[in-house]
């Protein structure tokens, strides 16, 4: 009782207690031991992006490459390809040394290119992950999934994570076959194009992702006319990978340089600001793409997707 | 003992109450911290997005949302967003934009790689300081640090509420403790103490002889069983004792009967012994002592006379012509004569004199403390009395009457064997017979 009464007095108030939630610092990118990396740097570092991005975005990338050239004193050249498949092929052929792959493209490329160190994960809107949606029009769009029967679905491409993999897995988990639920399923190759088609009424449901709103709005699409029908999944942003055609130390220097570039500083904002929502990169781990690889495997086993 | 136990129990409950209150306080603090942490972690996503995209207006709006959400937890003192170098980039006080706060806790929050909290006391009021790094990263890898959001909450009202809660809790604990202790006391008293006291009293009373004492413990449990066992044992003991007493009474009565029977038997045996003894020393025809008794008495009185010096006389008496009487009138008539003579001798002699039937028609007379002359007088008196007595068919005797001859010997201060005394009396008797019968002759030594 005495002890209990003591607790009423100010003397029993706890001394200021400090609590810090610390997490351990992790290691550098993985370089497989079985891989033999080039010992000398190439004359020029080829950096691959898809042609799906617009001119503004290309300028953003070019500023980044200029930054890297200044930092590392090595010329970097921007190479554009029609699709992720072409980029992967170019990496295999040695033309491309550095590439920004969509999450699904990274997962699929790992099977084809074993010596592909994962350097960084892109940061957009301040985060390393984004959410995949099924988006519909506010006015006349279906309100529940069952109302999608007979509607038209727009996917992006078979290398798109939010525009293909996650929505297909979502339907698979729901026991729904898109071919029977929807009257038509089309590929648009581009998220902004998908939203534009949704705005025009060409399609009724669009498989896209959370951060598409900015670029779409910049392209003149009225995104306020849309709403989310369902969340199909969550995935990390694009993976920045290198190949065994560049030395390890150069890959590490590129990693360090890009990890230090972000929009928190005026200099970083000057380089990165543009229609492409790019805030920088963070050091990463293949582990964060593992759920996506499992999803891809599930989809393959279901027979929906041929390898 | 019971009060001490209850006291210990109350103390234990008090300690437990203190521990519970301490835990309550800890849980309350943890709850506050967790709430603040959830708010900061949730709001950090749009904060990061606003900073990353450099959308200052959105940042301010997000900070406004943060303030509202923190006010739901406690009174809000400060919310600010700092960049990686510690400059204020968002705050309710816009005049401080771009400055670095001097609070060391803010510096600790900036230095921390994760959520940080502390309880600073400002103006004697406890505050909760929390900070959350605004960071984009993958798993545990070092990521992009956009800045830090810090907030401070005034816990005065929270502590006040908690103090009231604690106070009420203490009162509740104390009341519950007292109530429990009281209940336990009553239960222990009812269930244990009372039965034990009843058992003790019953046992003491039983020990002191009150065989009607019983514990009378009711209910269930070990003590009730013990009480019932005690009562059963007492009943059995009483019944057993009653049986024993009854058995003792019965055995005593039987023994008394046996004793009485034995007493009667012993009396009968004694009488038989007496009779047997009498038979051994008595002549069955005349009822006088027989020759065996005479010899014992003669030896005894001779020894007595020798030691005391008192005179002792002895006489032998024989019926004159008794053969003639028997031959003439038969033995039954002779036996009748002998019985009459015996009756005369018993009747006329002193109590101390000992008449015996010596054998046949001879009688012996032992006369203690009697000198020769006196003995002669006694013998003469007897002779005359017999001679004058009318015996059946006495007239057939020579002289017309039944007579006797008597020889007397005596022992006066000299040493003489009993045999000699008898022999001298017998010699005197022969002399009397030779002298014509119906007379008394004193042995010459005695004369």
């Amino acid at each position: 009782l005495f002890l209990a009464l003591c607790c009423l007095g100010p003397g029993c108030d706890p001394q200021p207690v400090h609590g810090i939630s610390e997490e351990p610092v992790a290691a550098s990118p993985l370089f497989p031991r079985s891989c033999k990396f080039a010992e000398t740097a190439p004359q020029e570092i080829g950096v691959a992006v898809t042609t799906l991005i617009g001119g503004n975005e290309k300028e953003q990338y070019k500023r980044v490459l200029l930054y890297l050239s200044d930092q590392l004193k090595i010329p970097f050249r921007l190479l554009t390809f029609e699709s992720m498949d072409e980029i992967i092929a170019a990496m295999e052929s040695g033309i491309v040394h550095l590439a920004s792959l969509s999450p699904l493209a990274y997962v699929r490329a790992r099977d084809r290119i074993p010596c592909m160190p994962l350097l960084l994960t892109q940061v957009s809107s301040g985060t390393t992950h984004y959410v995949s949606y099924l988006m519909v029009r506010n006015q006349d769009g279906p309100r529940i999934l069952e109302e999608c029967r007979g509607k038209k679905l727009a996917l992006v491409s078979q290398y798109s994570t939010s525009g293909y993999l996650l929505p297909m897995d979502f339907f698979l988990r729901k026991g729904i076959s898109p071919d029977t639920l929807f009257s038509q399923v089309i590929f648009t190759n581009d998220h902004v194009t998908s939203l534009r088609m949704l705005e025009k009424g060409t399609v009724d449901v669009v498989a896209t992702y959370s951060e598409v709103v900015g670029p779409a709005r910049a392209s003149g699409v009225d995104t306020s006319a849309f709403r989310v029908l369902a969340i199909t999944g969550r995935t990390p942003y694009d993976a920045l990978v290198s190949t065994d055609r560049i030395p390890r130390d150069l890959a590490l220097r590129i990693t360090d340089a890009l990890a230090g570039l972000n929009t928190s500083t005026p200099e970083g904002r000057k380089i990165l600001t543009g229609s492409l929502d790019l805030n920088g990169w963070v050091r990463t781990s293949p582990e964060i793409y593992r759920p996506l690889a499992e999803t891809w495997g599930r989809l393959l086993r279901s027979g929906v997707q041929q390898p | 003992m019971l009060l001490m136990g209850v006291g210990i129990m109350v103390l234990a409950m008090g300690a437990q109450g203190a521990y519970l209150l301490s835990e309550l306080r800890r849980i309350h603090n943890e709850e506050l911290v967790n709430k603040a942490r959830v708010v900061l972690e949730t709001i950090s996503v749009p904060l990061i997005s606003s900073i990353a995209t450099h959308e200052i207006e959105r940042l301010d709006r997000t900070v406004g949302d943060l303030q509202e959400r923190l006010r739901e937890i406690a009174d809000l003192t400060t919310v600010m967003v700092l960049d990686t170098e510690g400059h204020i980039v968002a705050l309710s006080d816009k005049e401080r934009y771009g400055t670095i706060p001097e609070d060391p806790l803010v510096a600790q929050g900036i230095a921390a790689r994760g959520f940080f909290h502390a309880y600073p006391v400002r103006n004697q009021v406890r505050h909760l300081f929390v900070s959350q790094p605004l960071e984009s990263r993958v798993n545990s890898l070092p990521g992009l640090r956009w800045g830090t959001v810090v907030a401070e909450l005034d816990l005065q009202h929270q502590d006040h509420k908690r103090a009231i809660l604690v106070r009420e809790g203490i009162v509740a604990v104390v009341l519950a403790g007292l109530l429990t202790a009281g209940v336990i006391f009553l239960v222990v008293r009812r269930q244990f103490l009372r039965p034990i006291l009843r058992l003790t009293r019953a046992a003491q009373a039983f020990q002191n002889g009150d065989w009607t004492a019983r514990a009378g413990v009711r209910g269930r449990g070990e003590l009730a069983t013990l009480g019932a066992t005690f009562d059963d044992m007492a009943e059995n003991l009483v019944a057993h004792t009653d049986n024993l007493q009854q058995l003792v009474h019965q055995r005593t009565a039987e023994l008394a009967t046996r004793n009485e029977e034995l007493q009667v038997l012993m009396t009968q045996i004694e009488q038989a012994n007496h009779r047997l003894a009498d038979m051994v020393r008595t002549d069955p025809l005349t009822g006088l002592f027989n020759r065996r008794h005479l010899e014992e008495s003669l030896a005894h009185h001779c020894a007595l006379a020798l030691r005391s010096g008192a005179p002792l006389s002895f006489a032998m008496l024989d019926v004159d012509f008794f053969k003639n009487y028997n031959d003439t009138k038969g033995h039954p008539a002779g036996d009748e004569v002998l019985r009459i003579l015996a009756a005369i001798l018993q009747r006329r002699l002193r109590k101390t004199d000992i008449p015996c039937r010596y054998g046949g028609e001879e009688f012996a007379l032992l006369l203690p403390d009697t000198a020769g002359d006196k003995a002669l007088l006694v013998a003469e008196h007897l002779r005359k009395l017999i001679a004058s007595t009318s015996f059946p068919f006495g007239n057939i005797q020579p002289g017309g009457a039944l007579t006797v001859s008597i020889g007397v010997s005596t022992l006066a201060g000299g040493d003489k064997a009993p045999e000699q005394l008898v022999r001298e009396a017998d010699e005197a008797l022969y002399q009397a017979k030779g002298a014509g019968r119906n007379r008394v002759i004193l042995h010459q030594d005695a004369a």
Side-chain angles (χ1 to χ4, degrees), chain B residues 284-307:
Chain B
L285 179 65
T286 61
L288 295 179
F289 292 118
N290 56 18
R291 186 171 174 170
R292 178 192 300 258
H293 183 71
L294 173 67
E295 288 171 354
E296 290 173 1
S297 297
L298 189 59
H300 171 72
H301 282 279
C302 280
L304 194 65
L306 183 62
R307 192 171 69 180

Side-chain angles (χ1 to χ4, degrees), chain A residues 263-266 269, chain B residues 46-65 81-83 87-94 97-98 134 146:
Chain A
T263 53
S264 66
T265 61
R269 284 196 289 276
Chain B
L47 284 176
I48 290 171
S49 178
S50 301
I51 294 172
T53 56
H54 206 63
E55 294 181 51
I56 302 303
E57 287 183 3
R58 187 152 74 101
L59 180 65
D60 286 341
R61 283 201 304 274
T62 308
V63 170
D65 290 344
V81 179
L82 310 162
D83 64 14
H87 296 96
I88 297 172
V89 295
L91 180 70
S92 52
D93 182 6
K94 287 187 169 52
Y97 276 3
L134 301 173
W146 302 101

Side-chain angles (χ1 to χ4, degrees), chain A residues 34 54 57 72 80 96 107 150 187 208 220 223 239 289 304-305:
Chain A
S34 57
E57 290 88 350
L72 305 177
T80 56
V96 168
V107 168
F187 289 92
T208 186
T223 54
Y289 294 95
V304 172
Q305 173 65 45

Side-chain angles (χ1 to χ4, degrees), chain A residues 240-262:
Chain A
L240 189 69
V241 297
S242 66
T243 69
D244 55 0
R245 306 298 177 94
I246 59 174
R248 283 180 50 157
D249 66 325
L250 179 58
L252 288 173
R253 286 164 61 202
I254 293 170
T255 302
D256 291 343
L258 288 180
L261 178 65
N262 56 68

Side-chain angles (χ1 to χ4, degrees), chain A residues 56-72:
Chain A
N56 190 298
E57 290 88 350
K58 280 184 187 172
E59 290 303 315
Q60 277 180 271
Y61 272 117
K62 283 181 179 173
R63 288 198 296 273
V64 172
L65 298 188
L66 274 175
Y67 163 79
L68 284 176
S69 297
D70 285 347
Q71 292 287 313
L72 305 177

Side-chain angles (χ1 to χ4, degrees), chain A residues 1 3-5 7-9 12-27 121 123 125-129 211 259-264 269 277-285 287-288, chain B residues 10 14-15 17-18 21-22 25 29 37 45 48-49 51-54 105 108 111-121 126 136-146 159 162-163 166-167 170 174:
Chain A
L1 289 174
L3 292 172
L5 290 169
C7 287
L8 287 174
C12 269
D13 271 338
Q15 293 302 311
V17 176
H18 296 211
I20 301 173
S21 305
E22 290 285 2
E23 293 182 34
V25 178
T121 288
V123 176
S125 298
T127 67
T128 55
H129 288 69
E211 308 307 321
L261 178 65
N262 56 68
T263 53
S264 66
R269 284 196 289 276
D277 184 14
L278 183 59
N279 305 134
W281 289 267
V282 292
R283 299 173 197 279
T284 187
S285 162
E287 189 63 20
I288 69 165
Chain B
V10 169
L21 290 173
S22 164
R25 185 184 193 86
N29 286 336
R37 178 176 189 156
V45 176
I48 290 171
S49 178
I51 294 172
T53 56
H54 206 63
L105 280 178
Q108 287 188 52
R113 289 201 65 239
F115 177 81
F116 169 80
H117 75 276
Y119 296 100
V121 177
R126 208 164 66 100
S136 304
R137 64 178 178 185
V138 168
N139 295 346
S140 59
L141 297 173
L144 265 177
R145 181 75 177 255
W146 302 101
D159 286 350
R162 192 194 60 201
V166 166
R167 219 171 277 136
I170 287 174
V174 168

Side-chain angles (χ1 to χ4, degrees), chain A residues 84-97:
Chain A
M84 288 290 170
D85 202 25
E86 288 184 9
I87 294 176
I88 294 167
M91 290 173 73
E92 286 177 308
S93 66
I95 302 169
V96 168
H97 305 98

